[in-house]
Amino acid sequence: MGKLGATCGRWLAVLLLVGTVAATTGCGRTTRNSVPRQIASSGDWIDVNSPTRGQHVALRATDCPRNVLALSGGGSYGAFSAGLLNGWTETGARPTFDVVTGISTGALIATFAFLGPQYDAELKRLFTTISDRDIYRRRGPLAPLRAESVVSNVPLKRLIESQITPEVVAQVTEAHARGRRLYVATTNLDTRRLVVWDMGAIATRGDVPLYVNVLLASASIPGFFPPVSIVVEVNGRRFTEPHVDGGVSAQVFVQRFMLAAAPAEGPQGDKGAANSTVWVVTAGKLYGESSRTGTRTLEIGMSAINTLLNAHTRNDIRRVATVAKETNSHFRLTAIPDDFPIDPSPNFFDPVVMGKLFDIGFTLGRSGSKAWRNTPPEADDVQDAPRTGTQFIAPEPIQNGPPMR
């Protein structure tokens, strides 16, 4: 979405072309010890580290309303989410979240959002000062053909490792013991499915390397960043799964059990705790800005993929709103205002642009209830009636001015 969407779209379009060439020339090969297909596709795995599903929901009294925060993907646009949390704290009305979920850049924010306002300053520092060199290192020009990614993720991994300190892990463990939950999602490339990780459970076991790898994977745009290899053990045998950006599968997520007052019983499933609220923070605009599509193959592909990403985000938000409705929960949504200008940048992480995003997020968060809408982007992105021809009258006069960029 926005700058991230443009950059993602550009690289995805390049990779689609490279993939086509590789497929026709037989360049692809697999060296990982992958989970056998018939096992990987099964939904009946038993997680030996997991408690029963009934213990997996928040442990506080079932009649207490819950506050669930869902943080979307969005790359450097995560600066908006960081600013919104800071501004929300200023109002004195920011709740202690019972459940926090995060994908991609939202996954990087999620731990600090989960632990509370004491980490607001760190979020501000991270999302207003870092630049490209703190996130990735470019490979050579032939990397798309020879390597598993365009860039190296070593700088990003080091950044995550510097943030997930023993103190942070201990605080996540303590919150988990009190019944609060922190979830991050990745995409398993082998199964083509979303994988949700219980970060509190991982922290409780002291598995810091896995904690870091899950965050790294959730923020790893496939092709641009390499997949993160996560070793799993199935029936006593060890295999390697390739995990990438959770945003490939979903831009934002909340699942029914996260709001359930009790385990599912009967066809109606879980019933939510009364007066719970789902807060969705979208690190981007709900609708992509109009722009002139170029005439070259990659430009056309990039425009199409950007359109797909925006529609994907809106559909995921609608899905979360449906979960809120089905569990008798309130729904709240905020996003970068449509009229807020965001200058395009050739870099993923431009501190100047990110500073502006942080500021608009802070202003919006500090505005209180004005920051939130209580409906998802419904079918208002669909035209009122089908076209019957090619002649139209627009409500505004056509003025001479700069063309769409």
Side-chain angles (χ1 to χ4, degrees):
M1 296 171 64
K3 177 177 65 176
L4 176 74
T7 310
C8 284
R10 184 177 301 113
W11 283 114
L12 286 172
V14 170
L15 291 165
L16 284 174
L17 179 60
V18 170
T20 301
V21 173
T24 57
T25 58
C27 292
R29 58 177 182 151
T30 300
T31 58
R32 286 181 291 100
N33 181 29
S34 301
V35 179
R37 183 171 59 182
Q38 70 274 18
I39 298 176
S41 59
S42 171
D44 298 327
W45 286 18
I46 298 174
D47 187 344
V48 298
N49 297 301
S50 174
T52 66
R53 187 170 183 269
Q55 292 174 304
H56 206 69
V57 299
L59 300 179
R60 60 180 58 183
T62 57
D63 59 346
C64 291
R66 299 198 183 113
N67 283 287
V68 178
L69 175 68
L71 298 162
S72 84
S76 61
Y77 283 15
F80 167 80
S81 303
L84 184 120
L85 288 168
N86 273 258
W88 198 354
T89 298
E90 289 282 311
T91 68
R94 175 178 160 183
T96 297
F97 300 108
D98 300 279
V99 178
V100 175
T101 74
I103 277 186
S104 195
T105 193
L108 302 181
I109 297 171
T111 296
F112 290 154
F114 181 68
L115 295 180
Q118 65 267 35
Y119 285 98
D120 281 0
E122 184 62 14
L123 278 176
K124 180 178 181 179
R125 185 190 70 80
L126 284 172
F127 280 90
T128 59
T129 64
I130 60 174
S131 60
D132 291 353
R133 65 182 181 181
D134 301 306
I135 304 299
Y136 62 84
R137 184 175 66 241
R138 291 189 181 276
R139 303 187 194 272
L142 296 180
L145 288 173
R146 296 180 175 178
E148 59 183 351
S149 65
V150 174
V151 303
S152 166
N153 63 4
V154 170
L156 178 57
K157 185 172 185 178
R158 288 174 178 166
L159 178 64
I160 294 172
E161 288 173 334
S162 72
Q163 300 303 309
I164 306 304
T165 63
E167 180 182 9
V168 167
V169 173
Q171 290 175 352
V172 171
T173 299
E174 181 182 356
H176 184 80
R178 293 199 305 268
R180 299 172 57 218
R181 293 294 180 260
L182 171 61
Y183 300 106
V184 165
T186 62
T187 297
N188 182 336
L189 281 181
D190 281 351
T191 62
R192 278 75 163 168
R193 294 177 183 174
L194 188 76
V195 177
V196 178
W197 302 83
D198 184 337
M199 305 305 285
I202 294 171
T204 299
R205 292 204 320 277
D207 196 343
V208 178
L210 178 58
Y211 197 109
V212 169
N213 277 338
V214 169
L215 295 184
L216 179 63
S218 188
S220 293
I221 301 167
F224 189 78
F225 287 107
V228 175
S229 295
I230 295 181
V231 177
V232 298
E233 183 178 306
V234 184
N235 297 344
R237 294 181 58 187
R238 293 164 69 86
F239 302 97
T240 301
E241 295 179 337
H243 286 259
V244 297
D245 194 335
V248 173
S249 300
Q251 283 293 315
V252 65
F253 74 101
V254 171
Q255 297 182 351
R256 292 176 59 90
F257 74 86
M258 300 174 188
L259 286 152
E265 295 180 359
Q268 297 303 315
D270 300 331
K271 180 180 179 181
N275 293 317
S276 292
T277 303
V278 177
W279 308 87
V280 178
V281 179
T282 305
K285 297 184 177 183
L286 295 178
Y287 298 90
E289 296 180 357
S290 297
S291 63
R292 175 180 292 175
T293 300
T295 58
R296 297 181 179 180
T297 302
L298 293 182
E299 293 171 326
I300 294 170
M302 182 177 69
S303 181
I305 291 172
N306 286 338
T307 302
L308 176 64
L309 290 173
N310 275 278
H312 185 26
T313 299
R314 293 193 298 273
N315 285 334
D316 288 330
I317 293 171
R318 292 168 188 149
R319 188 174 296 112
V320 171
T322 298
V323 170
K325 182 178 181 180
E326 291 176 346
T327 55
N328 302 315
S329 302
H330 304 292
F331 175 81
R332 299 291 183 267
L333 168 67
T334 191
I336 297 176
D338 287 335
D339 59 354
F340 179 74
I342 302 175
D343 296 328
S345 168
N347 300 320
F348 257 130
F349 290 83
D350 182 337
V352 174
V353 174
M354 292 168 69
K356 294 178 181 178
L357 287 165
F358 181 92
D359 289 343
I360 187 63
F362 182 87
T363 300
L364 199 59
R366 194 170 54 179
S367 69
S369 60
K370 296 179 181 178
W372 305 92
R373 53 187 284 177
N374 58 13
T375 59
E378 297 288 355
D380 52 1
D381 57 329
V382 179
Q383 65 192 66
D384 293 332
R387 289 186 175 186
T388 60
T390 58
Q391 293 178 304
F392 310 97
I393 298 175
E396 299 293 334
I398 297 177
Q399 300 177 351
N400 293 327
M404 286 191 292
R405 48 185 176 81

